[in-house]
Amino acid sequence: MKKLFIALLVASPFISTAQNNAFTIKGAIENSARGDSALMRYITPSGAHQQIATPIINGHFTFNGTVAEPVKAEISLKHKSLTDSKDDKLEFYLMQGTTIIQGKSTIEDATVSGTRLNEEYRLYRAEEKFFDNKYQALEAETNAATEQERKAASFKAKQQIKEAAIDSAYYASKRRFAENHTASIAGILALGDYAYTADYSLLQPIFNKFGEDVKASKEGRSFTAKLEKLKITAIGKILPDFAEPDTSGNLLKLSSLRGKYVLIDFWAPWCVPCRAENPNVVKAYEHFHDKDFTVLGISLDGPKYRDSWLKAIKDDHLSWTQVSEFKYMNDTAAKLCGINAIPQNFLIDPEGRVIAKNLRGEALEGKLKQLLTRAELK
């Protein structure tokens, strides 16, 4: 399932004098009405929130200004003739040069051209939409089945295989996009998506191919920080020790589980994909918990949700050790491991060394069979 960086402000080739970073946005919405207006919002590299409004006159609007480096921006249209609350928004990159936005009646489906980054960002977004449609179609197929069909193990297995195939194609596509756009911030965005499932050893060589100006961009700086965290949890590295309270409030150290293969499972009761994956983890635990394997669940929940956490543990039959600091993504273990989205997991060996990541569905049981069979033969 597809699918959330703190950037350091460093010297950047994008930063120069104001006149060299002037931008112009020229918008045209053919079927706009008198009284319609456009609002642009963005955050400057220094963290300041900017908001600029302008009327749409005879179907046209213009924004002018300066920006130190490319930043994501959003333009929303207020249609005086529409009474519904539907948002009409467009996300794009605000940057030096002239950007052309052209649409029919709305801006959300408008085309963006004139600046190379926005043309590449359009390709990136198109790829996102392509796979979103595939995931939505699979979800619709599942919802269209009867309740009895959805409960059947064979149906669940079939849907998991389909989802795994989409996942595989999605991440392969992200890697290709990144490798083919190493001169673009859009390529960094794709590499960030690929990083959800890829190890440091795969990501670093690709990142090294990016141009220095892209590496110095906000997205590049963020990804550099992400890589530093991923290096800590790379395959072959011993995971840093941490301690968190279990369901009884007792602190449990990761190092106390040495001597066993441990699946460190980051999840939360409110996370639908996490709950959908729990049956697979339960199955693996039941098959291998008496063969030097266990699971450590780490819930990234908030301070008011202890009761829902305990209920989810009971409802999903999670009989292994569960811990949580109830700090969401500020959880100690999550920060150590660079977790910014769930579900995610790490499989560590009896010495605490990372040997696999993000094992889903049958992949977890298959990996454990391979490891534990090999161990028995020794």
Side-chain angles (χ1 to χ4, degrees):
M1 60 211 62
K2 170 173 86 72
K3 18 178 176 3
L4 227 146
F5 304 113
I6 300 175
L8 301 175
L9 294 177
V10 297
S12 168
F14 291 120
I15 300 175
S16 59
T17 60
Q19 65 266 28
N20 290 336
N21 288 285
F23 68 77
T24 296
I25 307 298
K26 292 185 177 181
I29 305 299
E30 291 181 19
N31 300 323
S32 60
R34 185 174 182 178
D36 288 356
S37 60
L39 177 67
M40 181 167 70
R41 299 184 182 93
Y42 63 96
I43 301 175
T44 68
S46 63
H49 289 253
Q50 298 292 329
Q51 182 169 296
I52 311 170
T54 189
I56 299 176
I57 301 174
N58 296 326
H60 294 80
F61 64 88
T62 302
F63 291 105
N64 290 295
T66 59
V67 65
E69 63 176 293
V71 295
K72 276 187 182 179
E74 177 189 272
I75 292 180
S76 58
L77 296 194
K78 182 178 181 181
H79 298 278
K80 189 175 181 180
S81 59
L82 298 182
T83 57
D84 61 29
S85 59
K86 183 177 183 295
D87 290 336
D88 185 16
K89 299 177 180 179
L90 173 71
E91 187 180 85
F92 68 107
Y93 268 89
L94 186 63
M95 61 183 299
Q96 176 186 344
T98 300
T99 301
I100 308 298
I101 298 175
Q102 296 177 299
K104 292 287 186 181
S105 300
T106 64
I107 199 169
E108 66 177 352
D109 295 320
T111 59
V112 183
S113 60
T115 47
R116 180 177 175 181
L117 173 54
N118 276 304
E119 292 171 1
E120 291 167 332
Y121 186 57
R122 176 179 56 82
L123 296 175
Y124 168 83
R125 293 296 296 268
E127 185 179 77
E128 282 285 288
K129 187 174 182 179
F130 173 80
F131 282 99
D132 281 344
N133 289 340
K134 283 185 171 292
Y135 284 109
Q136 289 171 13
L138 181 62
E139 183 179 8
E141 182 179 287
T142 300
N143 293 337
T146 65
E147 183 176 357
Q148 184 177 1
E149 287 173 332
R150 289 196 296 270
K151 288 181 178 180
S154 58
F155 181 82
K156 290 180 180 179
K158 182 181 69 173
Q159 298 305 91
Q160 286 179 354
I161 290 172
K162 289 181 179 180
E163 183 177 32
I166 298 173
D167 286 346
S168 179
Y170 173 81
Y171 290 113
S173 178
K174 289 298 180 181
R175 177 172 181 167
R176 284 195 302 272
F177 191 100
E179 291 177 326
N180 292 332
H181 294 85
T182 54
S184 172
I185 288 174
I188 289 288
L189 296 176
L191 191 60
D193 296 330
Y194 178 53
Y196 179 78
T197 190
D199 186 58
Y200 173 85
S201 60
L202 294 174
L203 296 167
Q204 182 66 63
I206 300 174
F207 185 64
N208 286 343
K209 297 176 183 177
F210 277 81
E212 293 305 316
D213 57 339
V214 180
K215 290 179 182 178
S217 69
K218 180 180 179 180
E219 288 77 2
R221 300 190 301 267
S222 294
F223 194 80
T224 298
K226 183 178 182 66
L227 273 180
E228 288 304 306
K229 288 208 169 187
L230 287 172
K231 187 188 296 186
I232 297 172
T233 60
I235 300 295
K237 295 284 187 178
I238 292 180
L239 212 59
D241 200 12
F242 57 81
E244 294 197 9
D246 63 16
T247 53
S248 299
N250 300 315
L251 282 179
L252 181 128
K253 281 189 173 184
L254 174 63
S255 55
S256 69
L257 301 176
R258 292 282 170 83
K260 293 185 176 183
Y261 289 94
V262 183
L263 182 76
I264 303 170
D265 188 27
F266 289 92
W267 74 295
W270 46 263
C271 170
V272 174
C274 302
R275 302 293 293 273
E277 185 61 27
N278 277 343
N280 295 316
V281 184
V282 169
K283 182 181 176 184
Y285 181 78
E286 289 176 346
H287 287 178
F288 299 104
H289 76 275
D290 59 347
K291 297 181 180 180
D292 294 325
F293 168 71
T294 192
V295 180
L296 175 62
I298 303 176
S299 179
L300 304 186
D301 223 328
K304 298 181 180 179
Y305 298 99
R306 178 179 172 81
D307 289 345
S308 63
W309 175 53
L310 295 175
K311 184 178 186 300
I313 292 171
K314 181 180 179 181
D315 290 349
D316 291 6
H317 309 289
L318 312 182
S319 54
W320 49 84
T321 301
Q322 295 283 343
V323 298
S324 182
E325 292 182 329
F326 302 104
K327 295 180 180 178
Y328 292 120
M329 294 296 173
N330 286 321
D331 177 274
T332 297
K335 291 173 73 174
L336 277 172
C337 296
I339 302 298
N340 49 36
I342 51 177
Q344 288 200 62
N345 62 50
F346 297 88
L347 182 63
I348 60 176
D349 69 10
E351 296 178 348
R353 187 173 286 105
V354 179
I355 55 177
K357 296 181 181 181
N358 294 321
L359 296 168
R360 301 274 179 264
E362 297 298 322
L364 173 59
E365 192 162 1
K367 184 66 175 180
L368 292 172
K369 283 180 181 178
Q370 175 190 20
L371 291 168
L372 298 175
T373 300
R374 185 188 302 161
E376 289 175 353
L377 294 174
K378 288 184 178 180

